[in-house]
Amino acid sequence: MATLPKKESRAPTTCLGLDTNYGDGLERERSRKPDHKRPEHYGVGDPTTTFSSDSSHLSSRGRISKWFWDSAEEGYRTYHMDEYDEDKNPNGIINLGTSENKLCFDLLSSRLSQSDMLQVKPSLLQYPDWRGHLFLREEVARFLSFYCRSPAPLKPENVVVLNGCASLFSALATVLCEVGEAFLIPAPYYGAITQHVYLYGNVRLVYVYLDSEVTGLDTRPFQLTVEKLEVALQGANAEGVKVKGLILINPQNPLGDIYSPGELREYLEFAKRHVVVDEVYMLSVFEESLGYRSVLSLERLPDPQRTHVMWATSKDFGMSGLRFGTLYTENRDVATAVASLCRYHGLSGLVQHQVAQLLQDRDWINQVYLPENHARLKAAHAYVSGELRALGIPFLSRGAGFFIWVDLRKYLPKATFEEERLLWRRFLDNKVLLSFGKAFECKEPGWFRLVFSDKAHRLRLGMQRIRKVLTGTLQVAEDPPSSRTQEPRGQHI
């Protein structure tokens, strides 16, 4: 991997996870934008409210499917039509918007090319058990037992294998909820879940809105609390929406937050419903001091029959194209119902063999892959963080996942989602793709997710393009206060 250049910058002032390097910047942003309203506490999602499609060739379900594609994939499609290539298309788009780990292809290519990966047996070419081949489910159970640090060995009969977590969300929503029912989900959240739970099951999401305001020394930006969950639940009930469960992402996307064991237990005890826990980034915690704990590590889950855990190789092993995801649930009825849908979402036998071989190679994972992956993630994170500090841009400073939650509110002439999208478009026009906050149902316009898990030369070029856009944008926005370049004056939010 090419060495990332070190950036000289002043030591940042960090307040409860929000990293800034200039005075009381966020307080100033509030004072110069008096029209900024405090976000609502919850929202009931309904994708059909903005739906429009006039295709006469499609059913109503088909039109909704097409609408999701047309409305949600604009940046991604544009990127694929003009993808950056160092040699063939050096002026193409740098993708810092899609959460993929592109740092360890050399390690993965070497391991996946070894002879044990290339075996072909008759059973691998025939119809499998739709839950997944037993040899793979046994290996997944051992893998999760070890890395989730479960108090007791996990059981292969509680494992179901599908082609990725998107399919898992769709399957779980379909088998757990009636049409029109809903899951609570803290927002901002990975926005594609809206589509995952709606397309098949017609299941909605109730957003538990989190905001950047810190209300005390023991709080942090965008912090989830039981009180916020309760307010959203009561609000949904008042609107006649039945809440069937809660979705938690841990580590969180896009915030990078990690829930403590105490917080996890509080959320589970509150729910008294199905809880779906997405732990797809569990091995991508590159700051050891964070002390990540899987929900499967907790002693005596409050309701094990209604706690369902998801994991995949797409993030932790940088193989989003392999399409492997797994569900662990002690509820046999749920496992069986999801397994029935695996007929449409299964993996080939050859891929199942490769995944089993990979997961059982504990020596390679522990001694080669994880240490090097964490070191590369940490270096890439440090480089992008340094660039953001040099630009005077606040961001959430975390040590998990592939992304940084960046506060670009000062670059919006008005605090609106229209202005946020215009800024996103300027980035895209200048050949760098980011993800804007509205895509994650963030209620504060101006937040962006920036993915840093990429090679050094693409990060450097991407940050150069970001700097160009923001330098030009700031000139046409309101003049920033003259104190922007002063030394840090204390903690703030």
Side-chain angles (χ1 to χ4, degrees):
M1 178 181 175
T3 302
L4 288 164
K6 293 183 180 179
K7 186 77 178 181
E8 291 186 5
S9 62
R10 297 189 298 271
T13 299
T14 302
C15 177
L16 300 167
L18 186 84
D19 195 314
T20 75
N21 73 334
Y22 57 92
D24 56 351
L26 289 186
E27 288 296 343
R28 286 199 310 275
E29 291 307 310
R30 292 198 190 95
S31 65
R32 77 182 184 93
K33 293 177 181 175
D35 59 334
H36 182 75
K37 297 179 180 179
R38 181 180 177 85
E40 302 92 359
H41 295 295
Y42 77 96
V44 178
D46 184 357
T48 62
T49 58
T50 54
F51 165 73
S52 62
S53 176
D54 57 359
S55 175
S56 61
H57 301 286
L58 299 174
S59 68
S60 59
R61 292 189 299 264
R63 289 195 295 271
I64 290 174
S65 295
K66 182 178 181 298
W67 173 82
F68 268 115
W69 174 267
D70 291 340
S71 63
E73 302 288 342
E74 178 187 356
Y76 195 59
R77 290 198 307 275
T78 304
Y79 160 69
H80 276 294
M81 290 187 292
D82 187 19
E83 186 172 344
Y84 170 84
D85 183 276
E86 189 173 10
D87 299 317
K88 298 178 181 179
N89 190 21
N91 294 318
I93 296 172
I94 299 284
N95 185 356
L96 302 183
T98 304
S99 182
E100 292 183 297
N101 186 345
K102 300 175 182 176
L103 295 171
C104 293
F105 176 77
D106 57 330
L107 304 179
L108 294 165
S109 176
S110 175
R111 181 64 188 89
L112 293 173
S113 299
Q114 294 180 18
S115 59
D116 65 322
M117 293 286 178
L118 306 178
Q119 297 179 19
V120 179
K121 303 175 182 178
S123 61
L124 300 181
L125 303 181
Q126 297 162 1
Y127 289 124
D129 181 333
W130 293 116
R131 296 171 295 176
H133 280 292
L134 179 59
F135 67 79
L136 176 57
R137 289 185 287 117
E138 289 176 339
E139 203 54 61
V140 168
R142 285 191 286 267
F143 178 88
L144 294 179
S145 295
F146 181 82
Y147 289 102
C148 294
R149 301 179 183 179
S150 59
L154 302 178
K155 301 173 182 178
E157 56 264 34
N158 297 337
V159 173
V160 183
V161 172
L162 291 83
N163 61 342
C165 283
S167 298
L168 270 172
F169 272 118
S170 295
L172 283 170
T174 300
V175 306
L176 296 179
C177 301
E178 301 293 346
V179 169
E181 293 181 340
F183 285 104
L184 291 176
I185 189 166
Y189 68 94
Y190 172 53
I193 296 174
T194 301
Q195 180 176 350
H196 299 339
V197 302
Y198 190 84
L199 279 184
Y200 285 1
N202 199 358
V203 174
R204 303 161 71 182
L205 296 174
V206 174
Y207 314 130
V208 184
Y209 288 132
L210 312 178
D211 60 73
S212 62
E213 183 177 357
V214 170
T215 57
L217 294 176
D218 59 344
T219 62
R220 62 183 185 272
F222 297 100
Q223 183 172 3
L224 176 64
T225 64
V226 169
E227 290 75 19
K228 293 175 183 177
L229 289 168
E230 186 63 48
V231 167
L233 177 61
Q234 291 178 3
N237 289 339
E239 294 189 29
V241 177
K242 184 175 182 180
V243 173
K244 204 63 174 288
L246 167 66
I247 293 174
L248 297 173
I249 307 171
N250 187 38
Q252 214 270 358
N253 177 8
L255 302 176
D257 249 346
I258 289 177
Y259 299 131
S260 70
E263 288 174 324
L264 281 173
R265 189 170 292 280
E266 286 182 0
Y267 306 150
L268 293 173
E269 290 174 347
F270 154 81
K272 299 180 178 62
R273 293 165 177 80
H274 292 284
V275 181
V276 177
V277 186
D278 178 357
E279 298 191 343
V280 74
Y281 291 98
M282 74 172 183
L283 298 182
S284 298
V285 181
F286 53 88
E287 290 290 352
E288 294 183 5
S289 61
L290 294 177
Y292 172 79
R293 289 277 301 277
S294 165
V295 70
L296 292 174
S297 73
L298 300 182
E299 295 274 0
R300 295 181 298 277
L301 289 171
D303 192 348
Q305 288 292 307
R306 292 196 287 185
T307 303
H308 318 292
V309 184
M310 301 163 51
W311 181 77
T313 55
S314 57
K315 309 302 182 183
D316 287 339
F317 285 95
M319 298 190 297
S320 51
L322 192 73
R323 309 312 303 142
F324 165 84
T326 188
L327 168 70
Y328 189 85
T329 176
E330 293 189 15
N331 190 312
R332 299 293 174 82
D333 290 341
V334 172
T336 301
V338 170
S340 179
L341 295 175
C342 290
R343 182 181 297 268
Y344 315 108
H345 299 288
L347 287 77
S348 76
L350 298 176
V351 169
Q352 293 192 46
H353 170 78
Q354 288 181 312
V355 172
Q357 293 300 112
L358 183 73
L359 298 185
Q360 74 179 11
D361 193 350
R362 206 74 54 79
D363 288 343
W364 178 81
I365 294 173
N366 293 338
Q367 298 172 23
V368 178
Y369 179 75
L370 286 182
E372 186 62 22
N373 183 41
H374 289 170
R376 295 180 187 185
L377 285 171
K378 195 168 186 177
H381 179 272
Y383 170 70
V384 173
S385 298
E387 290 292 306
L388 292 171
R389 292 188 188 108
L391 285 167
I393 296 173
F395 58 92
L396 287 190
S397 183
R398 302 289 193 256
F402 308 153
F403 30 75
I404 297 175
W405 192 233
V406 181
D407 181 4
L408 300 183
R409 289 180 291 178
K410 71 177 179 178
Y411 296 96
L412 305 186
K414 296 180 181 179
T416 67
F417 290 112
E418 181 181 3
E419 291 290 346
E420 176 186 88
R421 192 172 182 89
L422 289 173
L423 179 56
W424 172 80
R425 170 54 67 179
R426 283 195 288 275
F427 285 128
L428 194 58
D429 289 344
N430 283 271
K431 302 302 182 73
V432 60
L433 175 63
L434 301 181
S435 298
F436 53 83
K438 182 60 177 174
F440 304 92
E441 286 298 334
C442 182
K443 286 302 294 181
E444 299 177 12
W447 291 86
F448 285 73
R449 190 187 72 175
L450 193 164
V451 174
F452 61 81
S453 50
D454 207 339
K455 293 292 188 178
H457 66 282
R458 287 194 291 265
L459 286 182
R460 283 195 295 268
L461 184 55
M463 292 307 299
Q464 288 171 10
R465 294 174 180 180
I466 288 173
R467 179 186 290 270
K468 177 183 176 182
V469 171
L470 295 182
T471 301
T473 300
L474 199 58
Q475 291 175 353
V476 299
E478 283 188 57
D479 290 334
S482 60
S483 61
R484 186 170 71 87
T485 57
Q486 292 179 1
E487 292 298 313
R489 290 188 282 124
Q491 292 186 341
H492 58 277
I493 180 66

